[in-house]
Amino acid sequence: MACGGRGSMEWSSLPADLLLAVFALLPSDADRVRFRAVCSGWAAAAAAWRPRPWLVGSRTDRSGRGAGGVSCFWLSPRPGGGLVPFAAAVPAGLEFLSSSHGYLALADPRASPKAIVLVNPVTGRCVPLPPIGFFKRWLDVTTVVLSGNPDTAAGWAAVAVGFPTTCLAYYSSVTGAWTPLAFSVPGYAGVEYYKGRFYVAFGSQICVCEQYAPAVIPLENVDADVEGDGSDDDKVLGRGRRVLETHLVECDGELLLVSVRDDVEYSSEDDMGLGLAVDIGGSGRGDGDARVVEVHRVEWVGDGAVRLVRVVDLGWHALFLGRNHAFALSPAEFPACRVNCVYLVDRQGHPDGLVRVVDMESQWARREETMYPDDGRRGSPSAGWARRGWFFPNY
């Protein structure tokens, strides 16, 4: 379809609100890509459309083999709408690993060593990466973080995180090869590309990725200041609780360190390692099923050192955490998101994983919403272990 031309209708002169209404009704992302390609006027009208975050995941059985395809859910724009399943254009036979900059990181579960394929489910572009030969066969790739969009960046890089004994792999599009980075922590580490450098963190330890190994950044102090009103809610939530996973996320130009802890108290570090806990949530089970989310802003204080400043208010932003490059959204980017909340994908590896929407203002009151992604196999003991993460499409 051409815009203008002799004897044809001036399609480019259609009102922008009409074009946007048509664009929103298109049934597939492929149609939306074609719509934007018609002419600059149509592309400009479509730019006003706000995409929805996706929850993406796949299942594996106990042998690590894929037990099904990739499942996708839209986060409903309606309050209380939950997660809406839909069929995305994802290649068959691949499992979900992570997402970053509008690309899904997928892999063939039968291949060894692990080889990652970056897939843009909107445009259909695939970027195959070489196998990570130095990752042990039993290592799982939990997160892949890109430095930029491979569609627009002349040269880009990636960091892949292995689990459970965390190790890192660095990829450069210039060399086309993976390089091992010496790093080992007993948990889920967070990675972010911030102001031209990769950072990795677990607990309160922050490292910058150098050529061969992450260099630990000196930590001057923790909680030197607290952004809040001095109430009980401003106390350090994480004291005596075990860190389950750590995320780094850029939010409104700042770097945030997010720690997810179980909601039980341990009397000592030895008890944390043994799982000896005192349940403070009132459930009496001591299983740490509830979660506490703790956020700090990373501040550089000179001589390469940083300090962590407690944050209790995310303002007009929400954080999206899971097996993905963590990201922040505001209502301007996704009008239906709940501000000052954390959308946390929890129970990774559990057949019935869930999404907790944790209100940062009311964690002491346990105010949270729980959403179960239903792919038709919820509650089935043979459904396999689910791995899920958030994805924000790039149109």
Side-chain angles (χ1 to χ4, degrees):
M1 182 185 297
C3 287
R6 182 175 300 176
S8 65
M9 183 178 182
E10 289 290 340
W11 294 101
S12 60
S13 63
L14 290 174
D17 56 347
L18 175 60
L19 290 171
L20 183 59
V22 172
F23 182 83
L25 293 174
L26 294 175
S28 70
D29 287 325
D31 292 330
R32 295 187 179 99
V33 171
R34 297 186 188 101
F35 184 102
R36 289 175 180 267
V38 169
C39 64
S40 59
W42 285 35
W49 187 72
R50 297 294 179 250
R52 294 170 283 188
W54 303 5
L55 181 67
V56 184
S58 59
R59 297 180 181 273
T60 57
D61 58 24
R62 292 183 181 273
S63 66
R65 295 173 180 263
V70 174
S71 300
C72 298
F73 307 83
W74 275 316
L75 182 59
S76 174
R78 299 189 307 274
L83 297 164
V84 181
F86 74 101
V90 179
L94 300 179
E95 64 178 358
F96 171 78
L97 299 178
S98 183
S99 71
S100 181
H101 282 287
Y103 273 80
L104 298 174
L106 309 175
D108 184 344
R110 299 161 297 181
S112 180
K114 186 80 70 178
I116 298 172
V117 180
L118 301 178
V119 177
N120 186 328
V122 176
T123 64
R125 185 190 178 198
C126 295
V127 182
L129 303 183
I132 309 177
F134 49 84
F135 269 16
K136 303 296 184 182
R137 180 168 184 171
W138 47 267
L139 277 178
D140 188 16
V141 177
T142 57
T143 311
V144 179
V145 174
L146 307 180
S147 64
N149 185 345
D151 294 337
T152 57
W156 53 274
V159 167
V161 183
F163 183 86
T165 304
T166 300
C167 59
L168 304 177
Y170 176 85
Y171 174 82
S172 169
S173 66
V174 176
T175 63
W178 290 98
T179 303
L181 298 177
F183 182 80
S184 181
V185 296
Y188 187 105
V191 178
E192 178 63 288
Y193 186 77
Y194 180 71
K195 294 187 176 180
R197 307 180 83 177
F198 279 104
Y199 293 89
V200 59
F202 182 77
S204 59
Q205 178 176 292
I206 303 177
C207 305
V208 58
C209 291
E210 302 291 358
Q211 185 175 5
Y212 299 108
V216 177
I217 300 176
L219 190 62
E220 184 178 270
N221 45 39
V222 181
D223 293 315
D225 295 302
V226 176
E227 291 187 348
D229 56 9
S231 65
D232 288 341
D233 282 347
D234 294 340
K235 296 177 182 177
V236 178
L237 287 170
R239 186 173 299 145
R241 295 176 171 91
R242 179 173 51 189
V243 177
L244 301 177
E245 55 189 67
T246 303
H247 301 267
L248 286 171
V249 54
E250 182 174 355
C251 178
D252 199 23
E254 296 180 328
L255 183 62
L256 301 182
L257 174 70
V258 185
S259 299
V260 179
R261 303 173 182 263
D262 57 9
D263 196 14
V264 292
E265 286 188 344
Y266 299 85
S267 59
S268 69
E269 291 186 3
D270 291 339
D271 288 347
M272 287 188 187
L274 295 172
L276 303 177
V278 178
D279 185 358
I280 66 170
S283 68
R285 298 173 306 194
D287 57 5
D289 184 61
R291 298 290 180 256
V292 169
V293 178
E294 183 179 310
V295 180
H296 288 85
R297 185 178 68 250
V298 180
E299 288 189 351
W300 276 259
V301 293
D303 296 328
V306 299
R307 68 172 180 173
L308 303 181
V309 179
R310 181 89 164 85
V311 176
V312 296
D313 189 350
L314 298 172
W316 291 93
H317 289 88
L319 305 183
F320 290 78
L321 312 179
R323 291 182 61 133
N324 56 275
H325 184 177
F327 58 87
L329 292 179
S330 69
E333 296 162 302
F334 181 60
C337 75
R338 289 172 49 182
V339 300
N340 199 28
C341 286
V342 175
Y343 289 76
L344 172 67
V345 183
D346 200 9
R347 294 184 184 172
Q348 295 283 4
H350 190 281
D352 295 334
L354 55 84
V355 173
R356 301 181 191 271
V357 186
V358 181
D359 190 330
M360 291 295 296
E361 185 177 0
S362 308
Q363 287 198 72
W364 289 108
R366 305 294 192 277
R367 180 181 172 186
E368 65 179 40
E369 174 188 350
T370 301
M371 297 184 288
Y372 287 91
D374 188 1
D375 58 5
R377 288 175 288 178
R378 182 181 167 193
S380 171
S382 61
W385 297 345
R387 59 178 81 186
R388 296 188 174 101
W390 295 106
F391 169 75
F392 197 62
N394 185 11
Y395 290 91

